[in-house]
Amino acid sequence: MYSKIAEYTNKYQVTLVAVSKTQPLPTIMVLYDQGQRIFGENRVQEMSEKYEAMPKDIQWHLIGHLQKNKVKYIASYVSMIHSVDSFELLEVIDQQAQKNNRIIPVLLQFHIAREETKFGLNIKEAQSLMETIKHQPLNHIKICGVMGMASFTDDKEKVRKEFKTLKSYFDLLKSEYFADDTEFKEISMGMSSDYEIAIAEGSTMVRVGSALFG
Ligand SMILES: *Cc1c(COP(=O)(O)O)cnc(C)c1O
Protein backbone atom coordinates (compact mmCIF):
# COMPACT_ATOMS: atom_id res chain seq x y z
CA MET A 1 0.00 0.00 0.00
CA TYR A 2 2.88 2.39 0.76
CA SER A 3 4.12 2.92 -2.78
CA LYS A 4 0.62 3.48 -4.13
CA ILE A 5 -0.21 6.16 -1.55
CA ALA A 6 3.24 7.76 -1.78
CA GLU A 7 2.85 7.95 -5.54
CA TYR A 8 -0.56 9.57 -5.15
CA THR A 9 0.60 12.22 -2.68
CA ASN A 10 3.68 12.86 -4.82
CA LYS A 11 1.53 13.42 -7.87
CA TYR A 12 -0.41 16.14 -6.05
CA GLN A 13 2.70 17.48 -4.30
CA VAL A 14 1.20 16.79 -0.91
CA THR A 15 3.40 15.88 2.06
CA LEU A 16 2.78 12.38 3.35
CA VAL A 17 3.05 12.02 7.12
CA ALA A 18 3.18 8.29 7.83
CA VAL A 19 1.33 7.84 11.11
CA SER A 20 3.36 5.19 12.89
CA LYS A 21 1.63 5.20 16.28
CA THR A 22 1.43 1.71 17.80
CA GLN A 23 3.64 0.33 15.01
CA PRO A 24 6.81 -1.51 16.09
CA LEU A 25 10.23 -0.34 14.89
CA PRO A 26 10.81 -3.07 12.25
CA THR A 27 7.49 -2.20 10.62
CA ILE A 28 8.44 1.48 10.52
CA MET A 29 11.84 0.57 9.07
CA VAL A 30 10.14 -1.12 6.13
CA LEU A 31 8.71 2.27 5.12
CA TYR A 32 11.97 4.02 5.93
CA ASP A 33 13.78 1.67 3.58
CA GLN A 34 11.32 2.63 0.85
CA GLY A 35 12.24 6.25 1.32
CA GLN A 36 9.70 7.58 3.82
CA ARG A 37 11.26 10.17 6.17
CA ILE A 38 8.30 11.90 7.84
CA PHE A 39 6.51 10.00 10.59
CA GLY A 40 3.65 11.11 12.83
CA GLU A 41 3.02 10.02 16.41
CA ASN A 42 0.27 10.99 18.84
CA ARG A 43 2.01 10.24 22.14
CA VAL A 44 5.06 12.01 23.50
CA GLN A 45 6.69 9.06 25.20
CA GLU A 46 6.22 6.69 22.28
CA MET A 47 7.57 9.26 19.84
CA SER A 48 10.64 9.94 22.00
CA GLU A 49 11.43 6.24 22.31
CA LYS A 50 11.19 5.86 18.55
CA TYR A 51 13.24 8.99 17.96
CA GLU A 52 16.02 7.53 20.12
CA ALA A 53 15.97 4.19 18.36
CA MET A 54 15.49 5.18 14.73
CA PRO A 55 17.74 6.82 12.10
CA LYS A 56 18.33 10.50 12.82
CA ASP A 57 17.25 11.77 9.41
CA ILE A 58 13.62 11.02 10.26
CA GLN A 59 11.38 14.04 10.81
CA TRP A 60 9.00 13.41 13.69
CA HIS A 61 5.62 15.15 13.70
CA LEU A 62 3.52 15.24 16.86
CA ILE A 63 -0.09 14.96 15.70
CA GLY A 64 -1.93 14.13 18.95
CA HIS A 65 -3.06 16.27 21.86
CA LEU A 66 -0.07 17.73 23.70
CA GLN A 67 0.02 18.55 27.40
CA LYS A 68 2.08 21.58 28.41
CA ASN A 69 4.17 19.62 30.90
CA LYS A 70 5.31 17.20 28.17
CA VAL A 71 6.61 19.73 25.66
CA LYS A 72 10.07 19.59 27.21
CA TYR A 73 10.52 15.95 26.19
CA ILE A 74 10.20 16.64 22.46
CA ALA A 75 11.38 20.24 22.07
CA SER A 76 14.93 19.32 21.08
CA TYR A 77 13.98 17.25 18.06
CA VAL A 78 10.32 17.50 16.99
CA SER A 79 9.96 18.70 13.37
CA MET A 80 6.39 19.93 13.59
CA ILE A 81 3.61 20.04 16.18
CA HIS A 82 0.18 19.76 14.48
CA SER A 83 -1.95 20.04 17.60
CA VAL A 84 -1.63 23.55 19.02
CA ASP A 85 -4.99 24.62 20.44
CA SER A 86 -4.20 27.39 22.96
CA PHE A 87 -1.98 30.40 23.45
CA GLU A 88 -0.76 28.91 26.73
CA LEU A 89 0.50 25.80 24.94
CA LEU A 90 2.15 27.96 22.30
CA GLU A 91 3.95 29.93 25.04
CA VAL A 92 5.34 26.74 26.56
CA ILE A 93 6.49 25.47 23.16
CA ASP A 94 8.16 28.83 22.58
CA GLN A 95 9.98 28.68 25.94
CA GLN A 96 11.17 25.12 25.36
CA ALA A 97 12.26 25.90 21.82
CA GLN A 98 14.28 28.86 23.11
CA LYS A 99 15.98 26.60 25.65
CA ASN A 100 16.99 24.37 22.77
CA ASN A 101 18.07 27.30 20.67
CA ARG A 102 15.67 26.52 17.85
CA ILE A 103 12.40 27.50 16.23
CA ILE A 104 9.66 24.88 16.29
CA PRO A 105 7.16 24.81 13.39
CA VAL A 106 3.56 24.40 14.56
CA LEU A 107 0.03 24.18 13.16
CA LEU A 108 -3.15 25.50 14.76
CA GLN A 109 -5.59 22.65 15.29
CA PHE A 110 -9.22 23.37 14.51
CA HIS A 111 -12.33 21.56 15.64
CA ILE A 112 -14.14 20.87 12.36
CA ALA A 113 -16.06 17.66 13.12
CA ARG A 114 -19.70 18.31 13.88
CA GLU A 115 -20.17 15.32 16.15
CA GLU A 116 -17.87 13.98 18.87
CA THR A 117 -15.82 16.30 21.02
CA LYS A 118 -12.41 16.48 19.52
CA PHE A 119 -9.69 18.92 20.45
CA GLY A 120 -9.22 22.11 18.57
CA LEU A 121 -9.96 25.81 18.19
CA ASN A 122 -12.88 27.51 16.51
CA ILE A 123 -12.15 30.44 14.21
CA LYS A 124 -12.93 33.08 16.85
CA GLU A 125 -10.52 31.49 19.30
CA ALA A 126 -7.85 31.33 16.61
CA GLN A 127 -8.31 34.99 15.77
CA SER A 128 -8.05 35.97 19.42
CA LEU A 129 -4.92 33.82 19.73
CA MET A 130 -3.45 35.68 16.76
CA GLU A 131 -4.32 39.05 18.34
CA THR A 132 -2.57 37.98 21.54
CA ILE A 133 0.54 37.07 19.55
CA LYS A 134 0.51 40.49 17.89
CA HIS A 135 1.02 42.10 21.29
CA GLN A 136 3.20 39.37 22.70
CA PRO A 137 5.38 38.01 19.90
CA LEU A 138 6.78 34.51 20.26
CA ASN A 139 10.13 34.26 18.52
CA HIS A 140 10.83 30.54 18.83
CA ILE A 141 7.73 29.13 17.22
CA LYS A 142 6.69 29.38 13.59
CA ILE A 143 3.00 29.04 12.76
CA CYS A 144 3.01 27.21 9.43
CA GLY A 145 -0.71 26.55 8.93
CA VAL A 146 -3.73 24.67 10.20
CA MET A 147 -4.76 21.12 11.04
CA GLY A 148 -8.09 19.38 11.47
CA MET A 149 -9.80 16.00 11.67
CA ALA A 150 -13.06 15.33 9.89
CA SER A 151 -15.94 13.41 11.44
CA PHE A 152 -15.62 9.66 11.63
CA THR A 153 -18.39 8.82 9.17
CA ASP A 154 -19.12 7.18 5.83
CA ASP A 155 -20.91 10.35 4.73
CA LYS A 156 -18.37 11.65 2.19
CA GLU A 157 -20.22 14.92 1.65
CA LYS A 158 -20.14 15.70 5.35
CA VAL A 159 -16.40 15.04 5.39
CA ARG A 160 -15.92 17.17 2.29
CA LYS A 161 -17.82 20.06 3.91
CA GLU A 162 -15.63 19.89 7.00
CA PHE A 163 -12.48 20.01 4.87
CA LYS A 164 -13.90 23.00 2.98
CA THR A 165 -14.46 24.69 6.34
CA LEU A 166 -10.84 24.13 7.37
CA LYS A 167 -9.63 25.46 4.01
CA SER A 168 -11.76 28.58 4.53
CA TYR A 169 -10.22 29.09 8.00
CA PHE A 170 -6.77 28.79 6.45
CA ASP A 171 -7.65 31.37 3.78
CA LEU A 172 -9.08 33.75 6.36
CA LEU A 173 -6.06 33.55 8.67
CA LYS A 174 -3.76 33.84 5.67
CA SER A 175 -5.37 37.07 4.52
CA GLU A 176 -5.75 38.57 8.01
CA TYR A 177 -2.40 37.64 9.58
CA PHE A 178 -0.03 35.93 7.16
CA ALA A 179 -0.52 37.65 3.81
CA ASP A 180 3.22 38.22 3.32
CA ASP A 181 4.37 35.08 5.10
CA THR A 182 5.34 32.35 2.63
CA GLU A 183 5.88 29.88 5.47
CA PHE A 184 2.20 29.92 6.44
CA LYS A 185 1.18 27.37 3.82
CA GLU A 186 0.18 24.06 5.34
CA ILE A 187 -3.28 22.55 5.58
CA SER A 188 -2.91 19.26 7.44
CA MET A 189 -6.05 17.28 6.68
CA GLY A 190 -6.84 13.79 5.44
CA MET A 191 -6.36 10.35 6.95
CA SER A 192 -6.59 6.78 5.62
CA SER A 193 -10.31 6.94 4.90
CA ASP A 194 -10.50 10.45 3.47
CA TYR A 195 -7.12 11.63 2.16
CA GLU A 196 -8.32 11.72 -1.45
CA ILE A 197 -11.21 14.04 -0.55
CA ALA A 198 -8.85 16.14 1.58
CA ILE A 199 -6.40 16.55 -1.31
CA ALA A 200 -9.22 17.54 -3.64
CA GLU A 201 -10.21 20.20 -1.10
CA GLY A 202 -6.73 21.70 -0.80
CA SER A 203 -4.81 19.62 1.73
CA THR A 204 -1.03 20.10 1.62
CA MET A 205 -0.25 17.45 4.21
CA VAL A 206 -2.04 14.16 4.85
CA ARG A 207 -1.63 12.03 7.97
CA VAL A 208 -2.09 8.43 6.93
CA GLY A 209 -1.71 5.47 9.28
CA SER A 210 -3.73 2.27 8.90
CA ALA A 211 -3.86 2.38 5.09
CA LEU A 212 -0.05 2.43 4.96
CA PHE A 213 0.66 -0.17 7.59
CA GLY A 214 -2.56 -2.14 7.09
C1 LIG B 1 -4.21 8.08 14.09
C2 LIG B 1 -4.27 9.42 13.51
C3 LIG B 1 -4.21 9.59 12.11
C4 LIG B 1 -4.15 8.44 11.13
O1 LIG B 1 -5.33 7.73 11.14
P1 LIG B 1 -5.57 6.51 10.09
O2 LIG B 1 -7.03 6.40 10.01
O3 LIG B 1 -4.90 5.33 10.68
O4 LIG B 1 -4.96 6.91 8.81
C5 LIG B 1 -4.22 10.89 11.63
N1 LIG B 1 -4.29 11.96 12.43
C6 LIG B 1 -4.36 11.84 13.78
C7 LIG B 1 -4.44 13.06 14.61
C8 LIG B 1 -4.34 10.58 14.35
O5 LIG B 1 -4.41 10.45 15.69
Side-chain angles (χ1 to χ4, degrees):
M1 241 356 230
Y2 173 70
S3 60
K4 187 174 156 276
I5 294 174
E7 229 168 78
Y8 189 85
T9 54
N10 239 356
K11 179 173 144 196
Y12 291 98
Q13 300 187 337
V14 167
T15 302
L16 174 59
V17 178
V19 177
S20 49
K21 66 186 183 202
T22 75
Q23 301 295 337
L25 301 182
T27 311
I28 302 173
M29 276 311 289
V30 172
L31 261 61
Y32 179 89
D33 288 338
Q34 292 176 79
Q36 182 66 23
R37 290 295 180 274
I38 304 178
F39 291 91
E41 290 283 334
N42 65 343
R43 288 171 182 278
V44 162
Q45 189 179 339
E46 185 176 346
M47 185 167 82
S48 292
E49 285 168 10
K50 286 172 175 171
Y51 164 72
E52 293 297 338
M54 301 277 293
K56 290 297 170 283
D57 62 340
I58 290 178
Q59 297 168 40
W60 293 99
H61 287 212
L62 198 277
I63 61 171
H65 183 64
L66 177 57
Q67 290 174 321
K68 293 196 280 285
N69 61 357
K70 296 202 171 158
V71 176
K72 58 178 179 280
Y73 299 119
I74 61 173
S76 68
Y77 73 89
V78 68
S79 283
M80 183 171 272
I81 298 173
H82 290 231
S83 44
V84 170
D85 60 0
S86 74
F87 180 75
E88 291 70 29
L89 176 59
L90 211 45
E91 268 186 311
V92 173
I93 296 170
D94 185 72
Q95 288 159 5
Q96 292 297 327
Q98 182 165 18
K99 273 194 186 163
N100 286 277
N101 207 6
R102 61 185 296 246
I103 293 170
I104 297 180
V106 305
L107 304 178
L108 299 179
Q109 180 173 359
F110 282 88
H111 182 265
I112 54 170
R114 293 279 168 278
E115 34 167 58
E116 325 117 64
T117 52
K118 277 178 180 153
F119 296 107
L121 300 158
N122 61 41
I123 188 63
K124 281 225 161 66
E125 291 165 339
Q127 285 168 315
S128 105
L129 183 154
M130 290 309 304
E131 294 299 328
T132 308
I133 288 179
K134 264 192 192 168
H135 303 292
Q136 197 178 325
L138 302 176
N139 297 318
H140 292 84
I141 52 105
K142 178 72 215 161
I143 300 178
C144 296
V146 302
M147 179 272 220
M149 285 168 91
S151 297
F152 188 69
T153 170
D154 290 333
D155 184 346
K156 301 282 181 215
E157 282 320 301
K158 185 175 183 188
V159 168
R160 186 181 296 278
K161 255 189 207 159
E162 292 171 357
F163 288 150
K164 279 185 195 293
T165 300
L166 186 60
K167 171 70 162 70
S168 76
Y169 292 165
F170 172 85
D171 290 340
L172 187 66
L173 293 176
K174 179 84 187 163
S175 69
E176 284 184 356
Y177 301 101
F178 298 97
D180 301 319
D181 184 344
T182 54
E183 287 177 289
F184 186 85
K185 61 181 167 64
E186 304 295 356
I187 304 175
S188 169
M189 60 184 189
M191 309 181 10
S192 292
S193 59
D194 54 23
Y195 69 90
E196 285 153 310
I197 303 173
I199 290 172
E201 296 304 331
S203 172
T204 66
M205 204 174 249
V206 292
R207 310 175 310 271
V208 182
S210 46
L212 288 180
F213 291 98

